[in-house]
Amino acid sequence: MTTPARIRPRALVRASGGPRYAVALAVDALGTGLLRPFLLLYGVTVLELSAPVTGTAMTAGIVAGLVCVPAVGRWLDRGARSTVVAASMLVRVLGVALLLAAPVGHVRLFAAAALFLGIGNQAWPAAHAALVATVAHGRERDTALAWARALRNAALGVGALLATVCLAGGTTVLRALAAVTALAYLAAAALAWSVHVHARPAEAAPAGKGDDVPAPRMGALLAANVVYVFCLNVPEIALPLVLVTQLHASPVWPAAVFAANTTLVVTLQVPVTVLMSRFSRRTVLALSGVVLAASYLGFLATASLGHGWAVPAVAMVSVLCTIGEIIYAGSATALVTALAPTPVLGRALARLQLSTGFGLAVSPAVITALAPLGPAALWGSLSAATLLSASVVATEKEGGTRISGHRTRERAGA
């Protein structure tokens, strides 16, 4: 066990990049919440594209964004921090501008917009984690990452709620929401850039020597992470699919489950991360897999209940699933930042984002393919795969170069 962290609001803001950077995170997430849930509707309603064409363009944007992530990692390893964060936001400004410029029926401009939005969305997590890892260290950094996630989820929820209220206004309002999103991204980029955070020269890779520093061997951890991130799409895809199409529940139920998920993440992400800080990060990450697997088995058990009990039972089990998600989110990035030597931190975080992005990209297809086969196929498979991933995380040996200073001490508690 290690000494648990403490929640000190002012120190937490400083450790997260400072007040201006906190505002940048909130504004950026607010803009994302305004647009992301309705990007598909924008393509179908405003541009009058077919749903398959719109969905294909959005998927291509996600994949293209993943392809650019290794370059982001190398940029971070040169010492850049707030510049990369700002760039990830500016790229999305360009994406929204193309969205607004696209005429009705013009699929190429919509695809280009989805491309730049995808690049920004995939580049931001690694850049943000690297910035926080530069400003804060040890358990304070873990808590700062958790606080930033809670803040971002709160702003995303507010943005999505505002967009939902405005949706009845039709295509004109959708275009207005896109314009407001672009302004939000632009303001966030300016605020993030103004923080001027860079890795110290001693911590950045020496000129021409960056490739000589070996990155930690995290193959098994990254493979396990692909399975872990399925939990992020459970409240958005799996549970609505089960509740509405199989249990014939009112659409109010999946909306309530999603709202509860967001509320729990916002309120519990920091306290749970602080509570878990008394254990090693690897132990906590493995524990999150056990909790997630238990929740999947809980969803499986609800299938045997009568119709009157199954729907509220699913909602109750979803709370356990959210707790597993919170524990996972508070330990995965923290573990990678603790394992990676500073000269290759960017590449290590980029590899983590590649595995996360891949899991998020394939999970909708896997979930929708397994769900028609029955509860045992869906929840049994997810539970078994997650338990296997948890065992891999728990038993994987540390790899990479051990270096002096705080990184060595952190690895002892990783």
Side-chain angles (χ1 to χ4, degrees):
M1 289 189 182
T2 58
T3 302
R6 295 179 181 178
I7 302 177
R8 293 173 297 180
R10 290 186 179 181
L12 204 52
V13 172
R14 288 196 301 270
S16 303
R20 277 180 297 172
Y21 187 68
V23 174
L25 291 182
V27 173
D28 175 72
L30 181 66
T32 300
L34 285 173
L35 180 65
R36 191 174 69 179
F38 305 108
L39 185 57
L40 179 66
L41 286 179
Y42 191 97
V44 173
T45 304
V46 178
L47 302 183
E48 299 180 5
L49 303 174
S50 68
V53 168
T54 305
T56 300
M58 292 173 62
T59 300
I62 294 174
V63 173
L66 287 174
V67 171
C68 297
V69 168
V72 172
R74 290 191 293 271
W75 190 7
L76 291 169
D77 285 340
R78 296 191 185 101
R81 292 294 186 266
S82 56
T83 303
V84 187
V85 175
S88 71
M89 297 171 178
L90 285 174
V91 166
R92 284 179 285 179
V93 174
L94 180 57
V96 179
L98 289 173
L99 202 63
L100 291 168
V104 173
H106 203 295
V107 66
R108 291 186 179 180
L109 275 181
F110 180 80
L115 167 65
F116 286 111
L117 288 170
I119 291 173
N121 290 335
Q122 297 297 337
W124 181 86
H128 164 70
L131 186 148
V132 174
T134 303
V135 175
H137 302 289
R139 295 296 180 173
E140 184 182 54
R141 179 195 58 224
D142 299 4
T143 308
L145 288 169
W147 179 82
R149 182 173 190 256
L151 175 65
R152 184 169 176 80
N153 272 268
L156 282 170
V158 171
L161 182 61
L162 290 174
T164 301
V165 171
C166 297
L167 192 60
T171 59
T172 301
V173 173
L174 281 175
R175 285 189 178 275
L177 286 175
V180 172
T181 299
L183 293 176
Y185 286 153
L186 188 61
L191 286 168
W193 180 82
S194 71
V195 175
H196 297 304
V197 175
H198 304 274
R200 292 193 297 270
E203 292 184 349
K209 298 294 185 180
D211 293 335
D212 296 336
V213 180
R217 293 186 294 274
M218 304 186 299
L221 174 61
L222 297 177
N225 185 59
V226 172
V227 177
Y228 270 93
V229 297
F230 274 56
C231 72
L232 301 179
N233 273 332
V234 166
E236 293 189 31
I237 296 174
L239 294 186
L241 193 64
V242 170
L243 286 168
V244 176
T245 66
Q246 296 181 3
L247 298 178
H248 308 291
S250 166
V252 172
W253 279 100
V257 167
F258 183 78
N261 173 272
T262 302
T263 302
L264 288 172
V265 170
V266 171
T267 57
L268 296 182
Q269 185 67 69
V270 173
V272 170
T273 301
V274 170
L275 179 64
M276 293 290 105
S277 66
R278 66 189 65 209
F279 306 104
S280 74
R281 298 173 181 89
R282 186 175 293 277
T283 298
V284 175
L285 185 56
L287 174 64
S288 71
V290 174
V291 175
L292 287 170
S295 72
Y296 298 153
L297 291 176
F299 290 131
L300 177 59
T302 62
S304 62
L305 299 177
H307 179 71
W309 292 98
V311 174
V314 167
M316 292 179 63
V317 175
S318 70
V319 174
L320 179 62
C321 185
T322 299
I323 297 299
E325 173 193 334
I326 290 170
I327 299 173
Y328 157 70
S331 55
T333 303
L335 177 59
V336 171
T337 56
L339 290 176
T342 304
V344 293
L345 176 62
R347 274 167 283 179
L349 289 170
R351 291 170 62 192
L352 176 66
Q353 180 57 28
L354 281 173
S355 71
T356 299
F358 179 75
L360 290 175
V362 303
S363 56
V366 173
I367 290 171
T368 53
L370 290 175
L373 302 178
L378 174 60
W379 301 118
S381 297
L382 285 179
S383 180
T386 306
L387 277 177
L388 177 61
S389 299
S391 67
V392 167
V393 168
T395 58
E396 184 184 29
K397 295 181 179 180
E398 308 292 357
T401 303
R402 294 182 179 270
I403 59 177
S404 61
H406 69 271
R407 288 290 185 195
T408 303
R409 291 193 295 273
E410 283 181 0
R411 287 181 182 209

